[in-house]
Amino acid sequence: LGQYLTSSLQNVSSDESASIRVIGRELYMLELAKSPIWGRGYPHESSRAAYTAAGVYESINLNDNGIIAFTYIYGLIGFLWYIVLQVKMLKQAIVANKNKKYFFLPYIILNLVVVINLLFWYWDFTSGVVLVIIISTLEEYKKVRKQPTQK
């Protein structure tokens, strides 16, 4: 994680991987301007125009551009949904952390740190399942915490 943070703060001109990500983000923001509310949608392989708009032919990958690519696909509605989800999870994780449930907060912080380049839960099925389990567990923990204790 430290190595990732250090490299993300360095000058991107020396890192080819970071340079292509910057180009991808710029492309996605230009394309997003055409449909900011709903986004541009996920490019289907049968649509040459969609592939071109997404930069696929220029070796720009959606999965390398984190929240920017997610916003490109789902627009401001998707971005706002993501923000609401993260804020809710963060609040619940902080409460859980205060009650000695330490797993949730580091997971959420990790996701927030790498969000500019990666959305684990979106591109990887297993990570998506883990996210659903974490959300469900946080919700259950919140529910159990609110129930009066029986004597």
Side-chain angles (χ1 to χ4, degrees):
L1 180 61
Q3 199 173 30
Y4 173 81
L5 289 173
T6 303
S7 69
S8 69
L9 297 173
Q10 292 175 346
N11 183 358
V12 296
S13 62
S14 64
D15 182 5
E16 190 176 309
S17 173
S19 297
I20 196 72
R21 287 180 171 139
V22 169
I23 293 166
R25 289 182 197 124
E26 290 171 359
L27 172 67
Y28 295 146
M29 295 310 285
L30 285 172
E31 287 294 323
L32 183 62
K34 297 175 184 176
S35 179
I37 303 294
W38 303 108
R40 299 286 287 159
Y42 194 85
H44 192 273
E45 61 188 31
S46 66
S47 173
R48 186 167 181 76
Y51 258 39
T52 301
V56 174
Y57 298 122
E58 288 80 33
S59 299
I60 299 171
N61 297 312
L62 288 165
N63 63 342
D64 282 341
N65 284 288
I67 193 64
I68 305 297
F70 185 82
T71 305
Y72 164 81
I73 295 169
Y74 297 106
L76 293 176
I77 291 174
F79 179 75
L80 290 175
W81 172 83
Y82 173 80
I83 296 298
V84 168
L85 177 69
Q86 291 303 312
V87 168
K88 182 178 179 178
M89 286 176 55
L90 189 58
K91 284 180 180 179
Q92 291 177 348
I94 289 169
V95 170
N97 199 62
K98 288 178 182 176
N99 290 295
K100 301 184 187 319
K101 307 290 184 203
Y102 299 115
F103 171 77
F104 304 106
L105 194 57
Y107 174 81
I108 293 165
I109 290 172
L110 172 66
N111 279 323
L112 291 173
V113 167
V114 300
V115 71
I116 195 66
N117 290 332
L118 299 169
L119 287 176
F120 294 118
W121 53 268
Y122 185 73
W123 299 109
D124 179 55
F125 177 78
T126 305
S127 297
V129 170
V130 169
L131 180 71
V132 169
I133 291 169
I134 286 176
I135 291 171
S136 302
T137 306
L138 281 170
E139 285 292 324
E140 187 63 25
Y141 178 73
K142 179 181 163 185
K143 204 179 346 174
V144 167
R145 210 174 48 84
K146 287 185 177 185
Q147 290 178 350
T149 56
Q150 296 179 3
K151 294 182 181 182

